[in-house]
Amino acid sequence: MDTKFSSAIHTLILISESETPINSDQLAQSVGTNASYIRKLTTRLRKAGIIEGRRGISGFRLLRKPDEISLFDVYKAVMETNTLHLFDIHQNPNDACIVGHNIRPVLSNMFRETEEEVEKKLGDITLANCIQNMRIYIKQNHKEEETSNESSTSYTV
């Protein structure tokens, strides 16, 4: 399965929450990949008008507020498509078989309907929702660690 989408969301959260511009090497270190992969993602996000890299300054910034960036916007940018594609159909069904002859149109319609529902759902979820969920998760996790370790480690997003 392709990880461009989740890597792009990770990258955008980091860009959004960083107090200073964050560059591709720093992003790659957090995502757990190499900087050239991050540069490919950020190029696609730039083309889609989601982020910008400023001349003379190392790092990126969002061009829109997190609540104005849907996950479907991110998906379309990094996958370079206008529609979501989750399911493939096997290529060589046997036309001499009644199921083989009819499976492609039947599955195609069912799969496309499902993909349209996912597109709508991703269109309703924003980067701001992801950031909020991340903060809640960190806060809850931090409380659990404090009670189990009795430490006061500071977490930042």
Side-chain angles (χ1 to χ4, degrees):
M1 177 154 272
D2 196 311
T3 61
K4 285 190 289 277
F5 183 47
S6 64
S7 296
I9 295 168
H10 184 145
T11 296
L12 291 171
I13 291 172
L14 282 169
I15 291 169
S16 174
E17 297 300 290
S18 178
E19 293 177 10
T20 59
I22 188 166
N23 65 37
S24 56
D25 289 325
Q26 295 164 313
L27 292 166
Q29 185 176 4
S30 179
V31 174
T33 189
N34 59 59
S36 65
Y37 180 76
I38 294 298
R39 283 191 288 276
K40 288 177 186 174
L41 289 179
T42 55
T43 296
R44 292 175 182 189
L45 293 167
R46 257 196 321 254
K47 286 180 183 176
I50 295 173
I51 64 170
E52 76 171 351
R54 292 144 96 195
R55 287 183 175 212
I57 298 175
S58 177
F60 303 96
R61 75 174 187 91
L62 295 180
L63 288 173
R64 296 185 272 168
K65 295 177 184 174
D67 64 350
E68 297 172 349
I69 303 169
S70 77
L71 294 191
F72 192 47
D73 293 335
V74 177
Y75 180 88
K76 290 186 297 185
V78 298
M79 300 307 285
E80 297 181 312
T81 183
N82 285 322
T83 59
L84 184 103
H85 182 74
L86 298 174
F87 307 111
D88 286 322
I89 301 172
H90 53 292
Q91 296 299 310
N92 300 309
N94 183 347
D95 276 342
C97 169
I98 189 71
V99 175
H101 183 73
N102 295 290
I103 194 70
R104 293 183 64 84
V106 170
L107 289 181
S108 292
N109 290 336
M110 291 171 48
F111 289 172
R112 187 65 216 138
E113 287 174 9
T114 302
E115 290 167 339
E116 287 170 355
E117 289 178 33
V118 175
E119 285 176 10
K120 183 180 178 341
K121 182 68 175 171
L122 290 176
D124 292 339
I125 303 170
T126 66
L127 182 62
N129 298 132
C130 294
I131 292 167
Q132 179 183 12
N133 289 342
M134 177 71 68
R135 288 179 178 159
I136 290 168
Y137 181 83
I138 290 170
K139 186 175 182 180
Q140 289 173 344
N141 209 32
H142 179 63
K143 284 182 181 179
E144 290 172 12
E145 284 187 9
E146 274 188 347
T147 56
S148 65
N149 296 335
E150 296 181 5
S151 68
S152 58
T153 306
S154 176
Y155 287 85
T156 57
V157 176

